[in-house]
């Protein structure tokens, strides 16, 4: 009788502690403990009815009750060794969870995906994420994480996708990121990161980089991965020029999108950016470029560019003729620069009467320059809705007031304006 009573006591005690399934559990006990740690770290007030975490009931075996009334969502299990289920994915719903992740040990050695995006988690990103040695996707986007990016993330040798965007992260990019040789996608935009962007040439598999809307300074990295398809570092404090990166850009044979707008980059726009057959979109607006490298030969047939925006710089000289020869270019914005001379006839012909196999200019923005002379006839005969052509604030009749001021706010005289437009009386 005493032995029977003792056995019943063990069963009741195990059930009360959430370990009723004990040795018969299909889920590895260590993984269960991590799930418990995580649930305890979530602010209970943010766990709403019907959310994934609200269905986690640890009186049951997590991996044995998926798709039931409990443990309805939020993670995935796979049989790995000896019939034991291990947690391989932890992907929460966007239910507005809050709390800190720093209290968990994150000892989930078989986890491949961790996705807590679009919630309200705060505090630092825990160093203990380095325990996730098989992790391939780390998605912490659109939360309220603060502090520095832990250098321990650089030890995740299997990581392929890293999303830390839309948080309050500060500090510099850890040097250890250079060890993420398998990384394919890196998104760190919309944070408060600063310092120089490190050379990324060692990341031989990286095809997507977005570091926009931060406070990065210095030059564009001199070494970029040849695998890059899209790079966006818009709205930072980058300076210097791009001419020293000519060879690096020349090696980017898969590159399709470049966005370096809203920085302080100056000097010449390298010709190589117009020669890459793969490049489709080039955005360099709101910088301090002063010229565009002109080819000694035709680059038209080589270019794959569809859209070019180099507006709001301080570029001088004539409108680049070679851009009218690019077969696929249909959107060109050179607004608010210091271009002078007349509008080339080729620009008008490409807009209204493109040659066979040549895409027309559907968007041609040339306003806010020093252009003068007669507007080409084909542009004057455009039918409404056929193309978006903007030529305002030039010197066709007289220089507008905007041209009486230099970049630094120094006033220009009418005589200086006349140098750009000999037709001013």
């Amino acid at each position: 009788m005493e032995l029977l009573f003792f056995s019943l006591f063990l069963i009741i005690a195990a059930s009360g502690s959430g370990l009723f399934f004990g040795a018969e559990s299909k889920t590895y006990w260590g993984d269960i403990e991590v799930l418990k740690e995580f649930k305890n770290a979530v602010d209970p007030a943010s766990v709403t009815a019907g959310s994934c975490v609200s269905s986690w009931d640890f009186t049951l075996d997590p991996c044995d009750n998926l798709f039931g009334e409990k443990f309805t969502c939020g993670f995935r299990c796979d049989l790995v060794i000896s019939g034991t289920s291990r947690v391989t994915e932890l992907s929460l719903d966007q239910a507005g969870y809050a709390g800190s992740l720093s209290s968990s040990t994150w000892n989930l050695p078989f986890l491949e995906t961790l996705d807590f995006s679009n919630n309200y988690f705060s505090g630092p990103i825990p160093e203990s994420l380095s325990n996730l040695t098989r992790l391939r996707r780390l998605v912490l986007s659109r939360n309220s994480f603060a502090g520095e990016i832990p250098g321990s993330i650089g030890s995740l040798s299997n990581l392929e996708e890293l999303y830390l965007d839309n948080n309050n992260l500060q500090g510099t990019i850890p040097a250890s990121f250079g060890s993420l040789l398998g990384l394919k996608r890196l998104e760190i935009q919309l944070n408060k990161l600063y310092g120089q962007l490190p050379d990324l040439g060692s990341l031989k598999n990286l095809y997507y980089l977005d570091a926009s809307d931060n406070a990065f300074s210095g030059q564009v990295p001199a070494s970029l991965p040849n695998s890059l398809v899209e790079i966006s570092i818009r709205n930072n404090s980058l300076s210097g020029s791009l001419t020293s990166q000519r060879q690096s850009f020349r090696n980017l044979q898969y590159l399709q999108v470049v966005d370096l707008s809203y920085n302080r980059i100056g000097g010449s726009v390298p010709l190589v950016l117009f020669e890459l057959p793969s490049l489709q979109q080039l955005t360099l607006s709101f910088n301090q470029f002063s010229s565009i490298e002109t080819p000694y030969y035709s680059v038209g047939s080589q270019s794959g560019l569809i859209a070019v925006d180099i507006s709001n710089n301080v570029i001088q000289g004539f409108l680049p003729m070679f851009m009218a020869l690019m077969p696929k270019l249909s959107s060109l914005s050179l607004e608010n620069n210091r271009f002078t001379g007349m509008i080339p006839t080729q620009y008008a012909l490409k807009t209204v009467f493109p040659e066979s196999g040549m895409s027309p200019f559907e968007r041609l923005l040339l306003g806010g320059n020093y252009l003068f002379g007669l507007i080409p006839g084909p542009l004057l005969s455009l039918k409404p809705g056929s193309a978006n052509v903007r030529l305002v604030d030039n010197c066709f009749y007289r220089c507008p007031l905007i041209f009486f001021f230099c970049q630094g706010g120094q006033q220009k005289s009418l005589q200086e304006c006349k140098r750009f437009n000999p037709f001013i009386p």
Side-chain angles (χ1 to χ4, degrees):
M1 179 64 70
E2 290 181 357
L3 182 59
L4 177 60
F5 177 82
F6 182 72
S7 300
L8 288 172
F9 173 80
L10 286 178
I11 293 174
I12 294 171
S15 176
S17 64
L19 296 175
F20 176 75
F21 32 84
E24 297 179 359
S25 171
K26 292 187 176 181
T27 312
Y28 182 69
W29 68 270
D31 292 3
I32 297 173
E33 291 304 308
V34 174
L35 293 177
K36 285 182 178 180
E37 285 179 353
F38 170 70
K39 183 175 181 180
N40 290 335
V42 176
D43 182 355
S46 68
V47 181
T48 56
S51 64
C52 286
V53 175
S54 69
S55 72
W56 291 8
D57 181 353
F58 290 101
T59 62
L60 303 173
D61 186 327
C63 296
D64 196 30
N65 284 275
L66 286 173
F67 311 112
E69 294 182 358
K70 302 296 181 181
F71 296 106
T72 56
C73 59
F75 65 98
R76 170 183 169 176
C77 299
D78 285 298
L79 287 173
V80 240
I81 46 173
S82 304
T84 303
S85 292
R86 304 300 301 259
V87 176
T88 56
E89 180 175 339
L90 191 52
S91 297
L92 296 183
D93 49 338
Q94 301 170 16
Y97 302 114
S100 173
L101 305 182
S102 57
S103 60
S104 178
T105 58
W106 295 106
N107 189 18
L108 294 171
F110 287 88
L111 196 71
E112 296 184 358
T113 297
L114 179 62
D115 186 346
F116 291 162
S117 58
N118 292 282
N119 282 289
Y120 297 102
F121 291 109
S122 58
I125 297 175
E127 293 274 356
S128 56
L129 291 182
S130 59
N131 293 330
L132 307 176
T133 52
R134 286 181 173 83
L135 199 65
R136 296 182 180 275
R137 296 184 74 243
L138 177 57
V139 189
L140 303 179
S141 308
R142 298 178 182 86
N143 279 280
S144 299
F145 291 108
E148 297 188 350
I149 300 174
S152 59
I153 290 180
S155 67
L156 300 175
S157 57
N158 291 304
L159 200 62
E160 296 179 357
E161 299 179 24
L162 177 57
Y163 302 84
L164 303 177
D165 55 283
N166 291 267
N167 282 287
N168 296 312
L169 299 172
Q170 300 179 4
T172 59
I173 302 298
S176 61
F177 272 31
S179 301
L180 297 174
L181 304 183
L183 196 64
K184 297 179 180 179
R185 190 177 183 105
L186 175 59
E187 297 198 28
I188 51 176
Q189 68 270 23
L190 284 160
N191 280 288
K192 300 174 182 177
L193 302 170
Y194 53 81
Q196 290 192 347
L197 283 165
D199 282 348
L200 303 170
S202 62
L203 306 183
K204 302 296 185 183
N205 295 292
L206 189 69
Y207 71 86
Y208 186 97
L209 169 64
D210 194 343
S212 303
D213 299 290
N214 282 287
F216 291 116
S217 57
Q219 291 191 315
V220 174
S223 179
L224 295 169
N226 296 347
S227 54
L228 269 179
V229 173
E230 181 168 343
I231 178 171
S232 178
I233 319 178
R234 71 189 307 271
N235 196 24
N236 279 277
S237 298
L238 299 181
S239 59
S241 71
L242 298 181
T243 52
S244 59
Q245 282 88 357
R246 283 194 189 96
Q247 188 56 48
S248 180
F249 280 117
R250 189 169 284 112
N251 294 331
L252 304 180
Q253 296 301 311
Y254 305 102
L255 192 63
Q256 296 180 11
V257 177
V258 173
D259 188 349
L260 302 177
S261 57
Y262 291 89
N263 281 286
R264 303 171 187 172
I265 307 171
S268 293
V269 179
L271 181 61
V272 64
L273 292 176
F274 302 99
E275 296 175 319
L276 293 174
S278 61
L279 191 60
Q280 300 175 16
Q281 178 181 325
L282 175 62
T283 307
L284 302 175
S285 54
F286 292 92
N287 276 285
Q288 298 174 9
F289 290 105
S290 58
S291 62
I292 298 175
E293 290 185 354
T294 304
Y296 296 104
Y297 51 90
S298 174
V299 299
S301 60
Q302 303 176 38
S303 175
L305 279 166
I306 297 173
V308 171
D309 186 352
I310 318 181
S311 62
N312 294 278
N313 282 278
V314 290
I315 302 174
Q316 302 185 31
F318 299 124
L319 292 174
M321 190 77 70
F322 70 91
M323 291 188 180
L325 305 176
M326 295 181 176
K328 298 180 180 180
L329 189 62
S330 61
S331 176
L332 175 62
S333 178
L334 299 175
E335 285 190 311
N336 300 319
N337 278 286
R338 297 183 180 179
F339 287 109
T340 187
M342 303 175 70
I343 298 176
T345 305
Q346 289 85 346
Y347 276 55
L349 293 176
K350 182 174 170 62
T351 305
V352 184
F353 304 115
E355 296 179 6
S356 176
M358 181 82 69
S359 296
F361 278 138
E362 298 177 358
R363 191 167 184 259
L364 180 61
L365 309 182
L366 304 177
N369 283 289
Y370 290 108
L371 302 176
F372 59 79
L374 298 176
I375 298 175
L379 293 181
L380 294 175
S381 62
L382 274 175
K383 296 180 180 180
S386 57
N388 179 11
V389 177
R390 191 155 60 211
L391 306 176
V392 297
D393 293 334
N394 274 290
C395 296
F396 296 118
Y397 303 104
R398 64 182 180 85
C399 285
L401 290 177
I402 189 174
F403 294 113
F404 288 83
F405 298 89
C406 295
Q407 181 187 9
Q410 297 175 344
Q411 188 170 1
K412 285 186 175 181
S413 67
L414 180 59
Q415 295 302 319
E416 288 179 288
C417 189
K418 285 182 178 181
R419 288 195 299 108
F420 294 96
N421 186 358
F423 297 98
I424 295 177

